[in-house]
Amino acid sequence: MKTNNLFIGLLLFLLIPIYSCSNEENDDPVELTIAKTMLDVSYGTDAQQVFDLHLPANRSSNYTKTLILVHGGAWIEGDKADMNYAVDIIKQFLPDYAIANVNYRLASAGNYAFPMQIDDIDAIVQKLKNENYGISDDFGFVGTSAGGHLSMLYSYGYNANNDIKMVCSIVGPTNFTDPNYTNNQAWLDLYYNLTGVNYADNPTYYEQLSPLFRATTSSVPTILFYGNADPLIPTSQGVDLHAKLGQLGVYNEFNLYNGGHGDWSQTDTLDAYTKLIAFIQNKF
């Protein structure tokens, strides 16, 4: 469940600045005036528990917000490098935001995705809050595919301290109880491999993994991007969440393009990019 690089064509139009790199984890206050990149910052003991942190110049713990990028890959593959194109675009058009481009532990046989991956997302948020990076405690998510699911699930179900202020899902699953999935044996097999729980034995468990069922009246502003011919994510996944958020009175934007799992035309890709940047500027 790994998207094509949604905005990759747009990089032809960008002039990408060069930033200094460091593996240091603490920011000296003297350095807050300059941009800084920290690669493979560890937030746990596993080799996969790392993120890249891109810090803007003139940042402050009073006002600098952070966008957390979460890659896709069906919860079993993928890497933060898959989101590097988004890092470049954000640096160019949202230069005052910090960016955390994250890895999380990938599921494998007997190593279940849940709650492991949500625990990793929480550990990342806590690390960003507790270290002296010169950023505020305001965070937003941009996730693709499985990463979109994790971003929404955390934002709706685990945002007890109101640290998360917005979420973007690019072709992310929202409802694991959708008949398009539960009537498909391949998906049911994937469910079991990800959780160790048979859907038929405990459908309520799968509701708890579904952002659709975790959304409340206090959920954060949400922007959604889906394709009308996606072989992995039925249109109902986006349509139903859009309707649910509307019923709850939660601000949200829903965008549906011609095409599949992020492989849209350059015109639609540019439209999605423009809307996402505007959403971040206006709602975060």
Side-chain angles (χ1 to χ4, degrees):
M1 203 170 295
K2 187 174 178 182
T3 62
N4 294 331
N5 283 355
L6 178 59
F7 304 131
I8 194 68
L10 298 172
L11 297 183
L12 297 174
F13 302 100
L14 304 182
L15 295 175
I16 305 303
I18 299 174
Y19 293 84
S20 61
C21 296
S22 170
N23 287 321
E24 298 175 7
E25 294 191 7
N26 292 313
D27 235 5
D28 187 320
V30 175
E31 297 180 339
L32 296 179
T33 59
I34 63 172
K36 183 177 182 180
T37 293
M38 304 163 66
L39 301 178
D40 293 325
V41 178
S42 176
Y43 65 90
T45 59
D46 192 282
Q48 294 179 334
Q49 292 177 303
V50 294
F51 61 83
D52 296 341
L53 184 60
H54 305 268
L55 298 167
N58 301 312
R59 59 192 173 277
S60 168
S61 58
N62 293 322
Y63 54 75
T64 300
K65 301 172 182 178
T66 302
L67 289 164
I68 301 173
L69 309 183
V70 189
H71 70 79
W75 304 274
I76 61 173
E77 61 183 4
D79 185 84
K80 56 186 169 64
D82 300 335
M83 299 295 284
N84 282 344
Y85 71 97
V87 171
D88 293 335
I89 291 171
I90 293 167
K91 283 183 178 180
Q92 182 72 11
F93 291 96
L94 298 168
D96 295 330
Y97 288 80
I99 308 163
N101 189 15
V102 309
N103 274 353
Y104 48 89
R105 287 172 291 174
L106 302 175
S108 58
N111 191 36
Y112 299 123
F114 305 104
M116 175 178 70
Q117 291 174 355
I118 285 295
D119 290 343
D120 280 0
I121 299 297
D122 186 62
I124 292 163
V125 171
Q126 301 311 314
K127 175 88 171 179
L128 292 170
K129 288 178 61 176
N130 293 328
E131 294 289 343
N132 183 27
Y133 294 131
I135 58 177
S136 74
D137 289 349
D138 291 341
F139 305 100
F141 280 107
V142 178
T144 63
S145 197
H149 164 261
L150 292 171
S151 297
M152 291 184 289
L153 182 60
Y154 187 86
S155 297
Y156 299 163
Y158 298 87
N159 190 22
N161 295 320
N162 197 34
D163 299 318
I164 311 306
K165 306 301 184 183
M166 60 135 288
V167 61
C168 166
S169 170
I170 303 168
V171 298
T174 68
N175 179 14
F176 286 163
T177 72
D178 188 323
N180 286 287
Y181 291 155
T182 59
N183 292 332
N184 184 319
Q185 190 58 49
W187 273 95
L188 292 177
D189 291 343
L190 174 62
Y191 283 4
Y192 182 78
N193 290 336
L194 291 173
T195 66
V197 177
N198 282 313
Y199 176 82
D201 296 335
N202 194 352
T204 302
Y205 178 74
Y206 286 90
E207 291 183 359
Q208 292 301 301
L209 296 180
S210 300
L212 180 74
F213 291 96
R214 304 302 294 269
T216 69
T217 56
S218 60
S219 291
V220 299
T222 302
I223 187 166
L224 305 167
F225 298 95
Y226 291 87
N228 63 7
D230 193 327
L232 299 174
I233 310 298
T235 303
S236 56
Q237 294 284 298
V239 170
D240 291 352
L241 181 60
H242 173 54
K244 174 71 174 291
L245 293 174
Q247 292 168 2
L248 293 170
V250 175
Y251 182 85
N252 74 101
E253 298 177 15
F254 172 71
N255 304 277
L256 186 66
Y257 298 113
N258 292 322
H261 202 58
D263 52 342
W264 309 325
S265 70
Q266 184 173 349
T267 298
D268 286 344
T269 295
L270 179 59
D271 182 75
Y273 157 76
T274 303
K275 287 178 176 175
L276 175 57
I277 294 299
F279 177 87
I280 294 169
Q281 291 172 326
N282 293 330
K283 295 299 178 180
F284 183 38

